[in-house]
Amino acid sequence: METAKGVTNMALAHEIVVNGDFQIKPAELPEHSLEKKVRDIVHKAFWDCLEAQLKEDPPTYDHAIKLLGEIKESLLSFLLPGHTRLRSQITEVLDLDLIKQEAENGALDISKLVKFVIGMMGTLCAPARDEDIKKLKDINEIVPLFRAIFSVLDLMKMDMANFAVSSIRPKLMQQSAEYERKKFQEFLEKQPNSLDLVTKWLQEAADDLAKLGHETLPPHCNDGATGGASALCFTAVQNQAYLKLLKWDHVNRPFPETLLMDQTRFLEMQLELEQLLLVGTVLLVTFSAAGPALIDVPGFAERIKTVVKVLLTGMHLPSFNLKESLATVGEKVCAEVNSCLSQHGFTPFSAEREAVLKGQIQAVGSPDNSISKLIDSRIQKFLENYLASSHQKSLPAIPGGLGPIQRELEEIAAKYIRLVNYNRMVFSPYYDAVLGKILTKEESQIVGKSEES
């Protein structure tokens, strides 16, 4: 139980750190589930009982006073230490002992208390809840009003929790990194082979760079020292390794051990990039065919991009037919191009030019398509430059031909860098140790070959 709790806490902390859009959301029970049916029955019974009590002559306020007590606790929980005046107001107005005395003497004005509660909620809520507070003021019946107040209070609690999450994220990042590293070390001590996949992953990255003739494996990379040159070699190999994660065969290849918690995220980004590659290629083909006439037409690129995205939705599903979808993309793109040319006083495409463009778009689906390969290499280069400049304020320039997909590409790159930087923060000691052995081995091979020659 303790282990499961630790894993759950670690996973939650990890999610908060790497997911910049993380938000706590209210639990949604399945529509026809037993839990939802039981909850609805219990809630209905409670509110029916409250309504019956308030309709008695004289009214009974037992349930209402309990609700006011819960509301009081909720309002006090929203206060910061410096909110002395507001704390005094809430404590004074929602004094439960005094309220009970007033109820016993028939002098309780429940509407006045509820009005105070709504006003205080308006003072403490986030601007996004102003409309909800306004709606509360339009409810006249006391039981529906109580229900609505608790609904809005739940939303305010979510707002407060999400504000706290965003506030602690920077501090949590360091603590979570240390915690994950500690847990992984404990796991590694029990399973000494827990870095086998990481070693293979980093070895392949080093081999890739060596084949490219990249100057990342010079003789001075002879150990895991932290000197400038060695650090440069380590960083270059790690960057290449991280790039390989965006081309991973998730079906047939196990993911590196240190990245398992983020495998789903890397897969999602990989799928997004594959779709973006097709979108970018179609746009480049279209603009090349249309010539300079449509390049500067406001909104044209966005319209084409929207059409292509919609028609390529679900392209990774087994049932998706890429060939048919690209044929439809060709039809739609040609229609958009001709419409835009006509609107701006240019001659629409002839049937022959339309056929050529449709054929070029159809060819985009081929793995050997030269234009698709060009766009892919530029996307990879951009991500590589993004990795290299991840600690700099200025972003790398967008390579030629990627302008129409710049916004989407930068959004993916930002998510990617957040994951990479955090993973590097947690596991860099292990990567350095593995790379020290790999680069020493590479150097020995280079020296051996030199001596033989």
Side-chain angles (χ1 to χ4, degrees):
M1 181 66 73
E2 200 63 34
T3 302
K5 183 179 179 182
V7 171
T8 301
N9 290 341
M10 183 170 71
L12 177 59
H14 185 86
E15 179 70 23
I16 291 171
V17 169
V18 300
N19 183 0
D21 298 323
F22 176 84
Q23 282 197 327
I24 299 171
K25 296 179 180 178
E28 296 277 346
L29 294 177
E31 185 60 34
H32 300 292
S33 65
L34 177 62
E35 293 92 339
K36 187 175 187 301
K37 290 178 181 178
V38 171
R39 186 195 66 180
D40 291 346
I41 290 170
V42 171
H43 283 194
K44 185 177 186 303
F46 176 83
W47 294 113
D48 287 348
C49 182
L50 174 64
E51 189 167 13
Q53 282 192 348
L54 295 178
K55 285 182 177 179
E56 292 177 7
D57 189 16
T60 302
Y61 291 106
D62 292 350
H63 278 27
I65 292 173
K66 288 179 182 177
L67 292 178
L68 287 171
E70 291 182 26
I71 290 171
K72 177 183 178 181
E73 292 304 315
S74 295
L75 293 176
L76 290 174
S77 71
F78 297 138
L79 300 181
L80 298 175
H83 289 157
T84 309
R85 183 178 60 82
L86 293 178
R87 188 179 304 277
S88 298
Q89 284 184 347
I90 295 170
T91 305
E92 181 181 335
V93 176
L94 297 180
D95 183 337
L96 297 186
D97 290 334
L98 180 60
I99 290 172
K100 288 176 183 176
Q101 289 180 16
E102 291 177 344
E104 290 169 0
N105 296 320
L108 179 60
D109 187 347
I110 197 81
S111 299
K112 182 180 177 181
L113 294 176
V114 169
K115 186 177 180 180
F116 167 79
V117 166
I118 294 173
M120 188 58 68
M121 289 170 65
T123 301
L124 298 174
C125 73
R129 301 298 166 206
D130 288 345
E131 190 62 31
D132 295 311
I133 299 298
K134 185 179 178 182
K135 290 178 181 177
L136 292 179
K137 296 177 181 178
D138 296 331
I139 301 175
N140 297 319
E141 295 184 23
I142 195 66
V143 174
L145 182 53
F146 264 122
R147 296 188 69 162
I149 284 173
F150 275 94
S151 294
V152 177
L153 283 174
D154 285 341
L155 294 175
M156 290 173 63
K157 289 174 184 176
M158 289 293 167
D159 294 338
M160 180 66 75
N162 287 318
F163 174 75
V165 165
S166 63
S167 300
I168 67 171
R169 181 175 280 117
K171 187 174 182 181
L172 183 63
M173 178 175 287
Q174 184 60 44
Q175 292 182 344
S176 179
E178 293 172 358
Y179 182 65
E180 287 187 42
R181 193 183 306 118
K182 176 186 174 185
K183 288 298 177 185
F184 185 79
Q185 180 60 39
E186 292 174 1
F187 180 68
L188 188 61
E189 289 170 359
K190 295 176 183 177
Q191 301 284 342
N193 63 340
S194 297
L195 283 173
D196 288 359
L197 297 175
V198 166
T199 302
K200 185 178 179 182
W201 167 56
L202 293 174
Q203 180 68 64
E204 288 177 1
D207 292 344
D208 289 347
L209 292 179
K211 289 175 185 175
L212 292 170
H214 202 293
E215 295 181 2
T216 52
L217 302 173
H220 56 246
C221 289
N222 57 2
D223 55 36
T226 56
S230 291
L232 176 62
C233 295
F234 283 21
T235 301
V237 177
Q238 281 187 40
N239 286 353
Q240 176 65 18
Y242 283 121
L243 285 171
K244 289 176 71 66
L245 298 176
L246 297 175
K247 295 284 187 179
W248 202 265
D249 182 357
H250 290 267
V251 175
N252 299 309
R253 283 198 65 185
F255 218 54
E257 297 93 341
T258 53
L259 289 142
L260 283 174
M261 211 179 302
D262 290 318
Q263 182 172 7
T264 302
R265 294 183 179 88
F266 278 104
L267 174 58
E268 288 174 356
M269 285 186 288
Q270 183 173 335
L271 299 182
E272 288 175 11
L273 284 171
E274 288 174 3
Q275 186 189 57
L276 196 60
L277 170 60
L278 285 179
V279 173
T281 307
V282 169
L283 286 168
L284 184 59
V285 166
T286 302
F287 280 120
S288 298
L294 300 182
I295 291 178
D296 297 323
V297 172
F300 175 71
E302 285 299 319
R303 286 203 301 276
I304 295 293
K305 190 160 56 175
T306 302
V307 167
V308 178
K309 279 184 177 179
V310 169
L311 293 174
L312 292 179
T313 299
M315 62 175 279
H316 297 101
L317 297 175
S319 59
F320 188 83
N321 189 316
L322 181 59
K323 186 176 180 180
E324 289 182 3
S325 296
L326 287 175
T328 307
V329 167
E331 295 284 349
K332 295 289 186 181
V333 167
C334 284
E336 284 287 344
V337 168
N338 282 331
S339 173
C340 194
L341 286 171
S342 298
Q343 288 177 10
H344 291 83
F346 298 103
T347 304
F349 276 9
S350 63
E352 185 179 347
R353 288 185 70 186
E354 274 194 33
V356 170
L357 178 54
K358 289 176 183 177
Q360 289 176 326
I361 291 175
Q362 188 77 57
V364 164
S366 169
D368 299 321
N369 183 264
S370 58
I371 301 176
S372 182
K373 284 184 174 181
L374 174 65
I375 295 294
D376 187 34
S377 67
R378 290 181 178 178
I379 288 175
Q380 293 300 310
K381 189 63 181 176
F382 173 75
L383 292 171
E384 181 183 345
N385 293 338
Y386 213 106
L387 271 176
S389 63
S390 61
H391 296 292
Q392 300 174 12
K393 290 185 178 179
S394 58
L395 300 179
I398 287 285
L402 301 186
I405 58 172
Q406 177 175 350
R407 176 172 51 82
E408 292 85 354
L409 187 55
E410 287 181 345
E411 287 175 358
I412 295 172
K415 291 189 294 184
Y416 174 61
I417 292 301
R418 187 184 294 115
L419 275 183
V420 167
N421 285 346
Y422 182 71
N423 182 265
R424 211 193 297 262
M425 182 190 300
V426 177
F427 296 107
S428 59
Y430 301 101
Y431 297 155
D432 289 348
V434 171
L435 283 173
K437 296 176 183 178
I438 290 174
L439 298 182
T440 300
K441 178 183 173 184
E442 294 285 347
E443 184 211 348
S444 299
Q445 291 176 352
I446 293 172
V447 171
K449 288 179 181 178
S450 300
E451 290 176 350
E452 288 176 7
S453 60

